[in-house]
Amino acid sequence: MKGTIFRFIPHRFIRDETALPEFSATCVHGDEFWECGAESPEYNTDQRLQRWMVDHRQKTGHNRYRRDYADYVLVEPEHGR
C-alpha cells in the first residue's frame, strides 16, 4: 500500500473588499430559565450594531449580548514558494 505525501504550501488570507462585513447581536440577558433573545438586524459597521445595543439597553436595561461577525476572505498561496 502506497502512502500519500502532502507538501505544506503557505497561504495568505486577504479580506475580500468587494463584500461588506456583517455584524449582528443577540440579547442574552437573563438566567438559566429565561433569556431575552432580541436579535439585531445585520449591519455592515460595528458602530451601527453598537448603537442598536445601546438603544436596546436604554429601552430594557439589558446589558449582556452575544455579538457575531462575518466577513469574506480570499485564500491564495504565497508567491515565491
Side-chain angles (χ1 to χ4, degrees):
M1 182 168 147
K2 288 186 173 182
T4 303
I5 298 174
F6 293 97
R7 185 171 63 100
F8 176 75
I9 300 172
H11 286 75
R12 57 191 178 131
F13 301 86
I14 306 160
R15 187 166 169 268
D16 183 353
E17 298 294 335
T18 65
L20 294 172
E22 300 167 356
F23 299 86
S24 62
T26 302
C27 178
V28 294
H29 181 89
D31 57 30
E32 61 192 81
F33 302 107
W34 175 85
E35 198 172 85
C36 173
E39 295 180 348
S40 74
E42 284 189 354
Y43 294 109
N44 60 9
T45 67
D46 191 39
Q47 291 79 16
R48 292 182 68 198
L49 176 62
Q50 290 174 8
R51 182 75 245 164
W52 179 87
M53 290 187 288
V54 168
D55 289 345
H56 185 72
R57 186 184 192 292
Q58 289 174 342
K59 292 174 187 171
T60 64
H62 299 170
N63 64 353
R64 189 165 186 255
Y65 299 86
R66 179 183 184 273
R67 292 190 304 177
D68 293 303
Y69 169 77
D71 68 348
Y72 297 85
V73 297
L74 303 171
V75 180
E76 297 180 355
E78 287 185 8
H79 295 290
R81 296 199 180 220

